[in-house]
Amino acid sequence: MMLFKDKFKIDSKRLKNWDYSSEAVYFITIVTKNRECIFGSISEDKMVLNENGQIIENELLKSIKIRKNWFFHNWIVMPNHVHLLIEIQEPRLETQTIVETHSSASTPGISTNNNQTVDETHCCAPLPDNLNQNQNENQSAFKLSRKPNSISSFVASFKSVTTRQINGSSSIWQSNYHDHIVRNYKRFETIYNYIKANPSSWEMDSMKP
């Protein structure tokens, strides 16, 4: 299943006038530098995490726990990338957090109007200066636009924390990431099933090196 075409273009720009901390469902893909398979391998259609992969999974579980108004509907760590299907909700007085690794947590509260459009962009979330010296050109622009509790803030923080634990200072990630704003349930279902089936379709995966 091909969800993307000409993906991960570094010269692409964020969706104009969109607040990436606002209520919406986002499909996020973060890829390792040079698509290097450093998180484990696929065996019998299942992802087998190595030590690095366990670090990635642990950090995602921490993110799920601390972001009370973020709902991680589905996610998976693959050999050289991470997929996340995240819903940002308005903060509520009482929030029930359900954590279910690599599977659905609930039915999303998004529109079922299949006529709505889907916006797809390719964004950058560079690491801080002391972790990635090659991203200076992009950093200034995104520091200005990055909001707390936003997708770009989350990705930058996640990259920074995992890089420190796995590689010290040299980034393990591509400087960019892929984000897709999901605007109807049909698209949500397609993406959800794509994430679920990702290990079994690894041999045909366009991100396989």
Side-chain angles (χ1 to χ4, degrees), residues 42-171:
I42 303 297
S43 177
E44 297 181 351
D45 293 339
K46 293 182 179 180
M47 178 62 194
V48 181
L49 299 173
N50 59 19
E51 185 176 351
N52 292 338
Q54 290 171 358
I55 289 172
I56 300 300
E57 183 173 76
N58 288 339
E59 289 304 318
L60 286 174
L61 289 172
K62 289 179 184 178
S63 296
I64 292 170
K65 186 175 181 179
I66 67 174
R67 287 174 170 79
K68 300 300 183 182
N69 66 317
W70 285 38
F71 205 93
F72 289 68
H73 288 282
N74 206 355
W75 58 273
I76 193 166
V77 180
M78 292 292 287
N80 63 358
H81 64 278
V82 176
H83 286 313
L84 305 107
L85 187 57
I86 300 169
E87 181 177 358
I88 298 181
Q89 304 170 333
E90 286 296 327
R92 293 173 174 79
L93 292 178
E94 295 183 4
T95 304
Q96 182 180 11
T97 303
I98 302 175
V99 178
E100 188 169 339
T101 306
H102 306 288
S103 61
S104 174
S106 78
T107 301
I110 60 177
S111 172
T112 57
N113 181 0
N114 292 335
N115 293 324
Q116 287 183 304
T117 59
V118 176
D119 297 311
E120 190 169 331
T121 58
H122 309 268
C123 303
C124 291
L127 296 174
D129 289 324
N130 63 332
L131 287 176
N132 194 339
Q133 298 296 327
N134 297 325
Q135 302 305 322
N136 292 335
E137 209 171 286
N138 290 328
Q139 276 191 25
S140 57
F142 282 94
K143 281 182 179 178
L144 292 174
S145 62
R146 190 181 300 151
K147 281 188 171 185
N149 204 42
S150 67
I151 293 297
S152 59
S153 176
F154 160 72
V155 173
S157 175
F158 179 76
K159 286 181 175 181
S160 176
V161 169
T162 52
T163 289
R164 280 198 297 267
Q165 293 184 60
I166 292 175
N167 209 33
S169 61
S170 180
S171 179

Side-chain angles (χ1 to χ4, degrees), residues 29-30 48 111 119 132 176 184 204:
T29 300
I30 316 172
V48 181
S111 172
D119 297 311
N132 194 339
N176 59 318
N184 61 71
M204 299 178 292

